[in-house]
Amino acid sequence: MGWAELLQDLVKEGLSSNHRRLVVLVGTDEEKLAKYAAEVLRVFSSIVKEPHGLYMYQPEYPDAQRRMGKFKELVKGVSASIDYKPYKDTDKLLGTTVDFAILDLMNDLKPNDVGRLGGIVRGGGIYIFMVPPLDEWVKQLTKFQQSLLVPQYRPEDVRHFLKVRFWNKLMGMGKALIINVNNDEVIKEPVIGDSQPWKPREVVMPERIRFSKAIYELAKTQDQVEALKAMEVLLERPPRGKKVDVVLIADRGRGKSAIIGLALAALAHRLRKVKGRARFAVTAMNPSNVSTLMEFVIKGLKALNYDVDVSYWGGDVVSVKVGISIFIDYVKPYDMLSEEGRDIVVVDEAAMIPLPVLYGIHERFGRVIYASTIHGYEGAGRGFSLRFLKYLHEDKNTRVIEYELKEPIRYAPNDPVEQWLFDTLLLDAEPAKITEEDYELINRHEFNYLIPDLKEFFLLSEDRLRQFFGIYVQAHYRNEPDDLGMMMDAPHHFIRALTLGNGKIVVSVELAEEGGISDELIDMVVRGLKLPGNIIPDRLIKYWGLTDFAKLRGWRIIRIATHPELQDRGLGTEMLRRIEEEAREKGIDWVGVGFGVNAKLLNFWIRNGYMPVHISPERNPISGEYSVLLVKPISEKARDAAIYANKEFRLRLLNSLQGPFHDMEPDVVRMLLTDWGQALDPNYSPRLTEAQARRLIAYSWGPMTYENTADAITELVKTYYLRKGIDNIALPQYYEETLICKVLQARPWRESAKVLGIRKSTLMLMLREVVKVLIQYYVKYIEIPEYMISVTKSQKRGK
């Protein structure tokens, strides 16, 4: 049977089962690749009438342009409509539905692109891939691989494990037709005849509905109907102090965003009738992430006979309004923490948003819809379920309604292309199952430190690889297929794991080699060059002038994740100890890490001896986090450099708390100012005039207000932090955070009290008390008349 007949049978079977099919064109001949792609589309369009689809390519490559040009010529007589799109626009295509997609993968194999495009073809449709033969493919660098090169390595050092995995998974895909176009040979025939015809599940409406029937009629599946019913609970305003949260989770392509959009339209309609207006906010990492949701908000409002005003930003819908009564706006995640007056908030793709922002949104609003993808190009939905949902359920003042959508919208369940995609990109990877026996091994500290052979681990140990990556999928809140590609192919990246005595992986770590930079490159960095893949040396050169540090060799921990069922058991700390031991044995000078800072995470690293050496001067506009770098020195040379960098870092932070870091969380500031036994200025004494000293005494034991003494108090507090590390004084945590928030950051009383979680009156009393402590300790440095000191002592006794 020829390939055309095989393709016809494959497409017809796909249409019958409402599943997608895959055609892979293998070759190097540009004209033949274009010819076969056109012929495949011709056969497909003879069965599926007037199909619409996409042709994806990399426009910067001349050969990609030539293939596309030849393809355009050859399909002029084919009754199909085709949109030609560059891969950089894949994020804008999420939520769209097409009959076919042609992916030119000759120049690039970027996992995120394949992941994003893997859900847009409807049931009965086809994907057409163009790829080189494997023996040729592994000799060339894709665009993605070129982005992985760092100065210390050459192109021949780049690994090609991702391509080999991709190829092997294609060869094992039952519903794939693979053709070698160079010699017109079918490499692999698809399995045909084992699929069952698809019968759509009848959608049954609930007996009682509170949303409009017009909204329910727009639902495509029973799952969507049930999700709408679950969201009706948001029509009730919770009692004061109580909250109602709805959590929707689903794999990609289940219509989660669409049904939330319809629910918002229904909720806005009812709230407008009850209270005269409805003000909702929708947040996600990017406006493009909510495009489908907003599209269905508009569709739902129109079904309810509203005239809708729509505002756009860069092609994305960012606001939907109806007169002056309905407002539904996109708001950046971090900006949600200062929003007020929103009746209902939607957090879409919640797994991509930092946990501190999620906690803040939950605390601030009484009715919230959280939506999260379980398996998809975003990844990490299960991490959201395991970590954030646990927090919601533990809040006794919150009623949590959960619903999981399982029915695909675009195609029938058990679609083979979806299964192949999840398998290839490890989107459905799971960590090892934990048993009682495993807990006993942990209690006995029976661990092994795994230094894997990368080729064997990535290409031959599927079970271990899935355990390893499954921990990232579940435990790390921002995870995507590109991370897998980088881990596999980047020459400076490598992995380590902590296993139990029985071989189960319980901690996964990805590291990158940094440093060992030449004098020539260091000179270029000093002149402003950004040093790719060497984040810590780059910052220490530019900010602290530590050029010799860049010559030292270091390991940066890119990601460390503990099995989600085994967190807070010391496994992460044990893993760090093993990594540092290996680094010491191999002559590595330092181990470092960088992350978006929050108190819990920072506490873990500080507790394990990692010194802060740099922080970004601005919060990430999307995540709302400051990025911080920390280093743990292994060698003496690295120790000297780290101590110097940490001192300069603390000095900069201390003097910037009324500037760029005025809104940093006080508990985070306190930990960042950890002294490590090294005072910033051991010879410093309070630079106070006699008048300032008088006001300090009058503030602490008399009627003087804080506002009239702020200059002197600030000098006293700065003295504490400049001398910290040599003086025998250590204020309790709550005292330090009070000084940071009110004095060093100069926040207003009301804001300070709210941030610290205490009453304003309590804050005012605490501040006086801690200033008294500092005066009594540092009074020996204040040159004031003896009579003032005696007055102070008598006031103390009287008090």
Side-chain angles (χ1 to χ4, degrees), residues 190-332:
V191 177
I192 298 174
D194 60 346
S195 295
Q196 298 298 318
W198 177 63
K199 292 182 180 180
R201 182 181 171 191
E202 184 182 354
V203 177
V204 179
M205 295 295 169
E207 289 185 12
R208 294 182 178 181
I209 57 174
R210 301 180 66 189
F211 288 160
S212 168
K213 186 180 178 183
I215 293 294
Y216 272 97
E217 286 174 346
L218 293 172
K220 298 290 187 184
T221 65
Q222 190 65 40
D223 256 352
Q224 286 194 323
V225 167
E226 299 301 331
L228 271 178
K229 186 66 180 168
M231 286 184 281
E232 286 185 346
V233 70
L234 296 169
L235 288 169
E236 304 294 338
R237 187 176 183 88
R240 187 174 180 83
K242 301 291 183 181
K243 299 174 185 291
V244 176
D245 290 347
V246 175
V247 179
L248 296 184
I249 56 175
D251 282 343
R252 174 154 291 285
R254 270 58 182 172
K256 164 177 52 64
S257 296
I259 207 64
I260 292 173
L262 293 178
L264 286 189
L267 287 163
H269 174 65
R270 287 292 300 273
L271 284 180
R272 177 179 174 272
K273 282 189 171 184
V274 172
K275 58 185 290 190
R277 64 153 177 82
R279 294 189 71 230
F280 300 164
V282 177
T283 190
M285 289 298 277
N286 293 292
S288 59
N289 295 142
V290 300
S291 57
T292 300
L293 189 153
M294 288 297 204
E295 173 193 340
F296 278 84
V297 166
I298 296 166
K299 188 176 291 188
L301 288 173
K302 287 183 176 178
L304 295 169
N305 299 315
Y306 286 107
D307 291 326
V308 181
D309 293 322
V310 181
S311 299
Y312 296 87
W313 185 79
D316 296 311
V317 177
V318 292
S319 179
V320 176
K321 298 178 182 176
V322 174
I324 59 171
S325 60
I326 294 176
F327 302 86
I328 302 173
D329 307 305
Y330 168 78
V331 180
K332 291 179 181 178

Side-chain angles (χ1 to χ4, degrees), residues 449-460:
Y449 181 62
L450 179 64
I451 305 177
D453 174 271
L454 294 181
K455 183 176 181 179
E456 190 274 337
F457 189 84
F458 285 128
L459 299 181
L460 301 174

Side-chain angles (χ1 to χ4, degrees), residues 676-783:
W676 304 99
Q678 305 287 332
L680 288 174
D681 188 350
N683 298 316
Y684 193 87
S685 61
R687 295 168 185 175
L688 295 165
T689 67
E690 183 176 331
Q692 286 178 311
R694 285 178 179 275
R695 282 187 281 121
L696 273 175
I697 301 298
Y699 168 72
S700 298
W701 287 280
M704 188 73 73
T705 63
Y706 172 84
E707 285 71 21
N708 283 310
T709 326
D711 60 323
I713 294 172
T714 301
E715 176 63 21
L716 200 59
V717 174
K718 282 183 68 176
T719 302
Y720 172 76
Y721 281 103
L722 288 169
R723 295 182 58 85
K724 196 175 181 187
I726 59 165
D727 287 334
N728 188 27
I729 176 174
L731 295 174
Q733 176 179 332
Y734 58 89
Y735 269 2
E736 283 206 27
E737 290 174 14
T738 298
L739 294 176
I740 289 165
C741 191
K742 180 57 191 165
V743 180
L744 296 180
Q745 292 183 317
R747 301 197 198 207
W749 286 108
R750 189 179 300 277
E751 180 185 337
S752 297
K754 184 175 181 181
V755 168
L756 295 167
I758 57 178
R759 294 176 180 273
K760 178 183 172 182
S761 57
T762 305
L763 171 60
M764 296 177 83
L765 287 171
M766 281 179 61
L767 192 55
R768 285 185 189 271
E769 290 304 312
V770 70
V771 170
K772 285 179 186 177
V773 173
L774 293 179
I775 287 175
Q776 291 174 79
Y777 190 85
Y778 292 114
V779 73
K780 56 189 174 184
Y781 299 112
I782 303 175
E783 295 181 6

Side-chain angles (χ1 to χ4, degrees), residues 73-111:
E73 290 179 19
L74 294 170
V75 295
K76 284 181 179 176
V78 178
S79 58
S81 60
I82 308 168
D83 293 328
Y84 296 86
K85 298 285 186 180
Y87 278 102
K88 67 180 180 62
D89 289 346
T90 54
D91 60 336
K92 298 176 183 175
L93 296 171
L94 291 170
T96 61
T97 304
V98 295
D99 299 300
F100 64 89
I102 302 169
L103 276 59
D104 184 339
L105 300 173
M106 300 296 290
N107 308 107
D108 199 16
L109 179 63
K110 184 175 170 62

